Amino acid sequence: MIKDIKAVLFDESMIKNRVQEISNELSHRFADKNPVLICILRGAVTFLSDLMRNMPIPLEIDFMSISSYGDSTVSSGIVQIRKDINISIKGRHVIIVEDIVDSGLSLNYLKEYLSNHESASITTCVFLDKPKAHKVDVKIDFIGFEIEIEFVVGYGLDFSEKYRNLPYIGILKEEVYKEL
Ligand code: IMP
Ligand code: MG
């Protein structure tokens, strides 16, 4: 697995520190709001798990799954819901927890979809952002790190369902995905 990684961008301690900072800000902002953290499966699972364990406030979690890339590294632009939320978010403060924003299509779709549920507010919290790859205007409220246009894996992020268990964020060697 490690032989497929070109470089480590963010190691475990960098991630831990940054996630702690975001958790503190969210805890402060949502202290008395009992927010619902909606984790976008599967890439944001690690981020959600670290975030919420650093948030000593009342909160709830739920999960959504949408299709975006399939097994490719290029966005199809077609977004489809695979799994919807289970709890009602009417009147609730929603925090969308997503792994990475590339074109911005997925996050905008999610925001649009969830804004039709009469929630009290929608906040977006994304672990990684590739600002140079945006194809649409996308507003992100909390960003872990900004990165260049490169394909990264680990800390929940995959290529073809692999590498999610790496504890760091690594840049995938191009030959790994260009071979396919
Ligand atoms: P967008 O709709 O183009 O912004 O794509 C967002 C989704 O594409 C993310 O939720 C990821 O699942 C996937 N994605 C985009 N870039 C990467 C990457 O560098 N590594 C792993 N997954 C990525
Ligand atoms: Mg995703």
Side-chain angles (χ1 to χ4, degrees), residues 69 98-100 102-106 130 150-152 157-158:
Y69 276 43
E98 174 64 307
D99 54 358
I100 186 165
D102 189 71
S103 68
L105 292 165
S106 306
K130 298 185 197 172
E150 259 160 335
F151 202 81
V152 293
L157 286 98
D158 74 309

Side-chain angles (χ1 to χ4, degrees), residues 98-148:
E98 174 64 307
D99 54 358
I100 186 165
V101 170
D102 189 71
S103 68
L105 292 165
S106 306
L107 191 65
N108 273 2
Y109 175 85
L110 286 162
K111 258 167 97 172
E112 164 80 24
Y113 176 77
L114 293 170
S115 68
N116 294 324
H117 288 65
E118 298 175 66
S119 62
S121 68
I122 297 181
T123 300
T124 50
C125 178
V126 165
F127 185 62
L128 297 175
D129 180 29
K130 298 185 197 172
K132 290 177 186 156
H134 292 183
K135 289 188 185 137
V136 289
D137 252 340
V138 55
K139 188 177 159 279
I140 313 172
D141 302 300
F142 293 87
I143 297 172
F145 301 100
E146 287 189 354
I147 63 170
E148 293 298 315

Side-chain angles (χ1 to χ4, degrees), residues 40-43 68 98-100:
I40 310 306
L41 296 171
R42 290 180 283 260
S68 53
E98 174 64 307
D99 54 358
I100 186 165

